[in-house]
Amino acid sequence: QVQLVESGGGLVQAGGSLRLSCVVSGRTSSRNPMGWYRQAPGKQRELVASIISGISTNYADSVKGRFTISRDNAKNTVDLQMNSLKPEDTGVYYCNYRGYNMDYWGKGTLVTVSS
């Protein structure tokens, strides 16, 4: 079983920064993709950023140039550095691990960006 625990959310003013962290435990592989998703109120969950093997990254157009995803396979963590935050970045951020047969999710951490 894979478990993910997110931390680092909070309230920040527009233009500020936050760093989210996700600790992964259980039977995992560094070759499997991991990512951060978010869900804004009244909207569907969407991909924010993903990373494979700590090298290949992918970002939603809305966060390119502002967010950076990183992975430390030795520590089993995946972080999301968020800079120049905007009110539209508000939402619950979820860590994701893509297993061979299913996706695993954390419980989420709330990010609120005030204007």
Side-chain angles (χ1 to χ4, degrees), residues 44-112:
Q44 289 187 331
R45 192 175 298 187
E46 62 175 358
L47 174 69
V48 176
S50 63
I51 187 167
I52 301 174
S53 299
I55 299 175
S56 177
T57 58
N58 180 50
Y59 296 92
D61 288 342
S62 60
V63 307
K64 283 181 180 177
R66 301 189 295 124
F67 290 12
T68 303
I69 190 170
S70 60
R71 185 171 180 175
D72 188 328
N73 293 319
K75 296 181 180 180
N76 287 330
T77 59
V78 57
D79 292 348
L80 185 68
Q81 177 66 42
M82 306 186 295
N83 298 327
S84 302
L85 282 161
K86 304 176 180 179
E88 50 264 42
D89 294 319
T90 294
V92 179
Y93 283 68
Y94 298 91
C95 184
N96 169 268
Y97 174 84
R98 182 150 296 177
Y100 293 108
N101 297 315
M102 64 179 288
D103 282 332
Y104 297 90
W105 298 91
K107 293 183 178 180
T109 184
L110 177 62
V111 172
T112 303

Side-chain angles (χ1 to χ4, degrees), residues 28-40:
T28 61
S29 170
S30 61
R31 291 172 291 183
N32 287 45
M34 290 197 65
W36 284 93
Y37 289 70
R38 69 185 178 194
Q39 187 165 17

